[in-house]
Amino acid sequence: MPVSSTPSEPVRVVVVVGSARDGRLAPDIARWLADRTDRRDDLVTDVVDLADTPLPASLVPDAPQTVALRPRLAAADAFVFIVPEYNRSIPGPLKTLIDSFNAEWEAKPVAFVGYGLGLAGGVRAVEHLRQVFAEFHCVGVKDTVSFPRVLEHYDAEGRFPADAEAAAAAAKVMLDQLVWWGRVLRDAKRQGPYGA
């Protein structure tokens, strides 16, 4: 019988930087989040930046870029998506990334850090992603981190986030849920393949 993971076995999380636009703010947010995850003993972090890993719009499964990225996503126990809200939804390259894979997402937990220039703070993009990932039988963790009016989250020296304590507290709640689901689903799949 397969052995369950122990509480000391870290959850492997892939943080996806979900924008590839010039002038994007997603890398600042991803650096902040990776700093939070790196401080935890229960997480091991890999950052996938869409700007560094462009995928073909044709969704060809054996395209070199897709083949190169597949093992990193497959090795993940969980995902966090840094997602801006563009025109009430998600960036096109992020949807291409998602649609380029299938089994790599299946039955894993996903968490979301949303941001936007307006008051919505990426909420509509996050809700769109929840629907998309439900198709892959993913578990979307309930709590998210949101940065409405994101430019106001930089301090006078350009550091992000200006209110580091509040942002860290929100991230902790989200990451605690992600770790719990990551362990539960990883253990369940070790007992047998999903859907079997």
Side-chain angles (χ1 to χ4, degrees), residues 2 13-14 21-22 36 38 51 55 57 62-63 72 87-88 106 116 118 122 132 159 165 177:
V13 62
V14 168
R21 287 188 180 182
D22 291 342
R36 305 310 313 166
D38 288 346
L55 296 169
D62 58 354
R72 292 173 68 187
N87 300 318
R88 294 180 175 254
E106 191 173 83
V132 170
R159 289 183 299 248
E165 187 174 334
Q177 293 174 9

Side-chain angles (χ1 to χ4, degrees), residues 73-74 76-77 79 104-110 137-139 185 189:
L73 300 181
D77 299 311
F79 299 95
E104 291 77 12
W105 310 121
E106 191 173 83
K108 295 179 182 179
V110 292
H137 301 259
C138 293
V139 174
L185 293 173
K189 286 182 281 189

Side-chain angles (χ1 to χ4, degrees), residues 55-60 96:
L55 296 169
S58 62
L59 308 180
V60 176
T96 298

Side-chain angles (χ1 to χ4, degrees), residues 111-191:
F112 308 101
V113 177
Y115 69 95
L117 295 175
L119 281 174
V123 168
R124 292 171 291 211
V126 167
E127 289 307 310
H128 186 179
L129 281 178
R130 287 188 189 281
Q131 295 174 7
V132 170
F133 279 106
E135 191 68 19
F136 296 102
H137 301 259
C138 293
V139 174
V141 302
K142 178 183 181 292
D143 288 279
T144 64
V145 179
S146 181
F147 294 103
R149 293 183 172 165
V150 66
L151 296 177
E152 297 177 9
H153 290 273
Y154 288 82
D155 68 15
E157 285 75 44
R159 289 183 299 248
F160 180 90
D163 188 350
E165 187 174 334
K172 182 181 185 315
V173 172
M174 179 189 74
L175 293 172
D176 285 349
Q177 293 174 9
L178 188 73
V179 167
W180 190 90
W181 277 110
R183 286 177 172 154
V184 167
L185 293 173
R186 179 175 63 192
D187 286 351
K189 286 182 281 189
R190 286 176 174 171
Q191 302 300 319

Side-chain angles (χ1 to χ4, degrees), residues 13-30:
V13 62
V14 168
V15 175
V16 177
V17 184
S19 173
R21 287 188 180 182
D22 291 342
R24 65 202 175 122
L25 302 175
D28 295 339
I29 299 170

